[in-house]
Amino acid sequence: MHDHHDGPEDGDIVAPPPKIPVPDHVAEAIRTLIRWTGDDPDREGLLDTPQRVARAWREYCAGYGDDPSHHLSRVFEEVGGYDEIVLLKDIPFQSHCEHHMAPITGKASIAYLPRNHVVGISKLARVLHAFARRLQVQERLTAEVADCIWNHLHPQGVAVVIEAQHGCMTGRGVRTPGVGMVTSRMMGVFREDERSRAEVLKLMGY
Ligand SMILES: [Zn+2]
């Protein structure tokens, strides 16, 4: 059940308390940035902005305090003979690029073919968010999610496909709104066996 007063959609991620103290030097850095853009940090509308920005960044980067592998530590050994692909499809996420600290907005599809272990399906999304809520590049995010599942679940195969838009492309420089970037990582059977790879990509809608 969703509590409507409780802010972020994905209540399963533990955000820092909303009113953590912001050290003066952090607020001052943001005031400097505002000045650098050409605006006046002392103007009324901007007075509380450094505090808000500082706290927002703690949330955007909450993944640094979240060990992704921890989410895969509780596994179920009994899979009841299930030997088909487990897929969590089109998981929305937000990250920030490490080159511009601009938003990366996209969706990820994460699949694995279990060997002996399965995890609760929401754990795949938690692994994604733990890596996404850091300064990232999309290629590394894709690889980190896949590697984490591979190393901790020891499945027969892992497939991760991420499709995202980059604020640093849509909002500046070459300005190409609507252009998405797709990255993928295939491991185990999804890498070695063309039929398995085709099957998982089809399930993902590619
Ligand atoms: Zn960038």
Side-chain angles (χ1 to χ4, degrees):
M1 283 296 120
H2 273 169
D3 176 355
H4 290 285
H5 301 285
D6 133 301
E9 282 273 18
D10 75 282
D12 56 7
I13 303 291
V14 179
K19 289 293 176 191
I20 54 161
V22 174
D24 287 347
H25 68 280
V26 176
E28 195 46 45
I30 297 160
R31 287 170 52 83
T32 301
L33 182 61
I34 292 171
R35 235 177 262 118
W36 168 248
T37 64
D39 213 320
D40 171 13
D42 291 317
R43 125 176 124 70
E44 206 188 336
L46 290 175
L47 283 180
D48 295 329
T49 298
Q51 307 283 321
R52 288 195 204 96
V53 171
R55 292 192 181 108
W57 274 98
R58 284 298 290 259
E59 278 195 55
Y60 300 152
C61 290
Y64 291 116
D66 185 0
D67 175 4
S69 63
H70 169 80
H71 301 298
L72 301 178
S73 59
R74 206 167 149 247
V75 297
F76 303 95
E77 309 249 342
E78 282 301 319
V79 294
Y82 188 81
D83 60 353
E84 300 293 334
I85 294 169
V86 177
L87 165 66
L88 194 57
K89 192 174 158 177
D90 296 338
I91 315 156
F93 73 92
Q94 193 182 37
S95 185
H96 287 82
C97 85
E98 69 182 21
H99 303 127
H100 305 90
M101 296 173 77
I104 301 172
T105 313
K107 56 179 188 169
S109 291
I110 304 173
Y112 67 102
L113 185 63
R115 191 184 307 273
N116 299 312
H117 302 122
V118 294
V119 284
I121 190 83
S122 70
K123 306 296 184 183
L124 301 179
R126 292 189 190 208
V127 170
L128 169 70
H129 293 310
F131 284 117
R133 292 181 175 192
R134 301 173 186 209
L135 299 178
Q136 273 290 5
V137 295
Q138 187 177 327
E139 296 89 335
R140 190 177 64 229
L141 173 62
T142 309
E144 283 178 340
V145 171
D147 290 352
C148 184
I149 295 165
W150 180 256
N151 291 330
H152 290 91
L153 286 189
H154 310 293
Q156 299 181 61
V158 179
V160 176
V161 179
I162 294 181
E163 211 176 324
Q165 299 206 349
H166 292 242
C168 57
M169 278 187 70
T170 55
R172 56 166 291 286
V174 288
R175 288 199 179 86
T176 44
V179 173
M181 175 170 155
V182 182
T183 48
S184 69
R185 185 163 176 96
M186 303 284 155
M187 305 178 81
V189 289
F190 298 130
R191 186 178 193 89
E192 287 142 26
D193 179 47
E194 208 170 308
R195 273 201 358 226
S196 302
R197 181 165 61 243
E199 188 189 353
V200 76
L201 287 172
K202 192 175 171 215
L203 286 171
M204 287 176 173
Y206 291 100

